[in-house]
């Protein structure tokens, strides 16, 4: 298949691109900073310039694609959530989907599938309640953002495509996402859970996420919202314990909620609240997780055999 990945230069995009190429698909990465290159063999993706908000030569170059994946978006946790930053976070996701939708209307041959990233922030703070794809949206900025993001993707269905909104949990890998930032205090023997410690973390190993995306685009009967999380969410306390164990470091130094709130503002709610999300659809459709438990996932990232 010919697959377009907008935002394919990022942490998740690189992994997905690599897996798709290994499986024999051809990949076009849309990037705002594409170094123009023509792949010399089938193991490389083609990189094409776009700006995420207007049509251009990229529109015609992507015609004939079978699948379009949108992973674009300003990083959620890099800056404090000022009103201006919140708008950038929303626009970079919603406008990029809309722009891809406009391009697809012009293509002579339409793709069969549009897959968009979303997040488990959709469910808001759920305490210890278990939620799945049938659960209602929660409250807060991330829940509102996810709704707008998913609605923008869903509109593309009207063009005759299957649409998948994939709600990612915290994606675990040492090269990107939240884990490298969380590892830092552990490296200095100063790691510990963000309090209260009982808040749930829904997570997924990076390789399982790439495999799940491949599974979804190759199983045409699946559509709509899909939770991309391992079947065993854990509390923040257990998450940090597993991280410390894999790094052979203690998890003794808790981070008080107030400290985090002073440093990060509203963004701190991403760490001090959580949700226990269950991958009901992925499991019922036959997907098998290579890393179903947090210790297996952490051990694989830090290259230690599971115990
Ligand atoms: N990683 C996680 O744990 C996690 C969890 C839940 C949801 N997600 C979502 O999944 C998606 C992929 O995550 P990721 O970790 O791979 O993110 P990432 O590493 O930050 O990559 C996102 C990509 O989006 C593009 N981008 C950034 N700002 C943009 C803008 N204003 N307009 C258009 N494109 C823009 C960038 O590509 P160029 O600079 O090359 O254009 C970047 O490579 C994101 O939308 C993220 O919010 C991730």
């Amino acid at each position: 298949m010919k697959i377009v990945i907008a935002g394919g230069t990022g942490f998740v995009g690189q992994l997905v691109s690599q897996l798709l190429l290994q499986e024999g698909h051809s990949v076009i990465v849309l990037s705002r900073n594409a170094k123009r290159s023509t792949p010399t063999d089938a193991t490389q993706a083609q990189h094409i310039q776009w700006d995420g908000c207007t049509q251009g030569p990229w529109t015609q170059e992507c015609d004939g694609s079978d699948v379009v994946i949108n992973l674009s978006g300003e990083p959620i946790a890099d800056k404090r959530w000022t009103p201006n930053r919140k708008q950038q976070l929303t626009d970079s996701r919603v406008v990029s989907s809309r722009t891809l939708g406009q391009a697809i209307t012009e293509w002579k041959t339409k793709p069969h599938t549009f897959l968009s990233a979303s997040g488990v922030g959709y469910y808001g703070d759920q305490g210890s309640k278990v939620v799945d794809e049938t659960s209602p949206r929660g409250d807060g900025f991330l829940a509102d953002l996810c709704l707008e993001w998913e609605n923008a993707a869903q509109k593309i269905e009207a063009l005759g495509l299957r649409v998948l909104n994939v709600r990612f949990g915290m994606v675990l890998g040492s090269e990107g996402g939240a884990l490298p930032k969380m590892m830092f205090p552990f490296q200095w023997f100063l790691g510990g859970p963000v309090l209260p410690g009982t808040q749930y973390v829904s997570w997924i190993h990076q390789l399982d996420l790439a495999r799940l995306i491949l599974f979804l685009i190759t199983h045409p009967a699946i559509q709509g919202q899909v939770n991309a999380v391992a079947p065993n969410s854990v509390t923040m306390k257990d998450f940090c314990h597993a991280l410390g164990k894999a790094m052979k470091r203690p998890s003794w130094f808790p981070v008080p909620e107030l400290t985090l709130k002073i440093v990060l503002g509203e963004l701190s709610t991403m760490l001090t609240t959580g949700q226990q999300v269950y991958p009901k659809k992925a499991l019922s459709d036959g997907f098998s997780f290579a890393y179903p438990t947090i210790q297996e996932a952490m051990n694989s990232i830090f290259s230690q055999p599971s115990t």
Side-chain angles (χ1 to χ4, degrees), residues 27 37-42 44-47:
V27 174
S37 69
T38 307
T40 49
D41 61 51
Q44 294 169 4
Q46 185 182 2
H47 286 71

Side-chain angles (χ1 to χ4, degrees), residues 6-14 29-34 50-53 70-76 88 91-93 96 117-120 149 166-172 176-178 209:
T9 51
F11 168 47
V12 175
Q14 288 184 47
V29 168
L30 293 179
S31 165
R32 294 162 308 156
N33 302 297
W50 81 325
D51 65 4
C53 53
N70 189 14
L71 301 173
S72 309
E74 292 284 335
I76 293 275
Q88 288 171 348
D91 287 351
S92 55
R93 289 165 172 79
S96 56
S118 178
V120 294
W149 197 1
V166 187
R167 296 175 180 157
F168 299 177
M170 185 192 287
V171 185
L172 300 186
L209 177 61

Side-chain angles (χ1 to χ4, degrees), residues 1 3 15-16 19-20 23 25 67 69 112-113 115 133 162 164 166 204 206-223 225-229 279-290:
M1 287 192 287
I3 299 170
L15 289 160
V16 173
L19 182 64
L20 292 173
E23 295 291 319
H25 302 290
V67 175
I69 299 176
H112 54 75
T113 300
L115 184 151
E133 289 88 349
R162 171 174 71 122
L164 292 155
V166 187
I204 185 166
Q206 55 180 14
L207 297 180
D208 273 339
L209 177 61
R211 289 177 55 246
L212 178 59
I213 289 175
L214 178 61
F215 179 88
L216 293 173
I217 62 180
T218 51
H219 284 72
I222 310 173
Q223 48 189 320
Q225 284 66 25
V226 181
N227 291 334
V229 294
K280 188 174 176 181
K281 228 159 163 176
L283 290 174
S284 64
D285 284 313
F287 181 74
S288 158
F289 288 85

Side-chain angles (χ1 to χ4, degrees), residues 87-293:
Q87 198 59 52
Q88 288 171 348
L89 293 172
T90 305
D91 287 351
S92 55
R93 289 165 172 79
V94 171
V95 175
S96 56
S97 281
R98 201 180 298 151
T99 306
L100 290 166
Q102 283 160 357
I104 293 169
T105 55
E106 292 179 21
W107 293 350
K108 290 186 203 76
T109 314
K110 304 245 183 299
H112 54 75
T113 300
F114 184 85
L115 184 151
S116 172
S118 178
V120 294
Y122 177 88
Y123 300 106
D125 181 16
Q126 292 288 339
S128 57
K129 191 169 152 200
V130 178
V131 292
D132 63 34
E133 289 88 349
T134 61
S135 303
R137 179 169 60 98
D139 298 321
F141 167 64
L142 283 185
D144 295 347
L145 165 64
C146 289
L147 179 70
E148 282 199 59
W149 197 1
E150 293 188 9
N151 283 346
Q154 208 59 50
K155 286 200 178 117
I156 293 173
E157 207 173 39
L159 305 176
L161 278 72
R162 171 174 71 122
V163 170
L164 292 155
N165 275 307
V166 187
R167 296 175 180 157
F168 299 177
M170 185 192 287
V171 185
L172 300 186
S174 58
E175 304 297 320
L179 199 59
K181 292 180 189 124
M182 297 180 82
M183 279 157 51
F184 183 72
F186 281 85
Q187 279 161 343
W188 294 94
F189 295 85
L190 292 170
V194 173
L195 293 176
T198 49
Q199 69 276 36
Y200 273 85
V201 182
S202 292
W203 58 274
I204 185 166
H205 189 286
Q206 55 180 14
L207 297 180
D208 273 339
L209 177 61
R211 289 177 55 246
L212 178 59
I213 289 175
L214 178 61
F215 179 88
L216 293 173
I217 62 180
T218 51
H219 284 72
I222 310 173
Q223 48 189 320
Q225 284 66 25
V226 181
N227 291 334
V229 294
N232 299 290
S233 303
V234 286
T235 61
M236 177 63 84
K237 187 166 174 248
D238 290 344
F239 183 92
C240 289
H241 177 78
L243 172 59
K245 195 170 170 197
M247 290 180 71
K248 294 194 165 51
R249 295 285 191 276
S251 178
W252 287 338
F253 293 94
V255 183
E257 281 175 84
L258 187 63
T259 312
L260 216 57
K261 194 166 180 195
I262 292 165
V263 178
L264 301 176
E266 189 184 348
L267 169 57
S268 66
T269 57
M270 270 188 83
L271 291 168
T272 57
T273 64
Q275 52 290 115
Q276 193 174 178
V277 182
Y278 189 67
K280 188 174 176 181
K281 228 159 163 176
L283 290 174
S284 64
D285 284 313
F287 181 74
S288 158
F289 288 85
Y291 301 98
T293 69

Side-chain angles (χ1 to χ4, degrees), residues 56-70:
W58 67 271
T59 312
Q60 280 72 42
E61 291 185 76
C62 295
D63 193 351
S65 306
D66 300 285
V67 175
V68 175
I69 299 176
N70 189 14

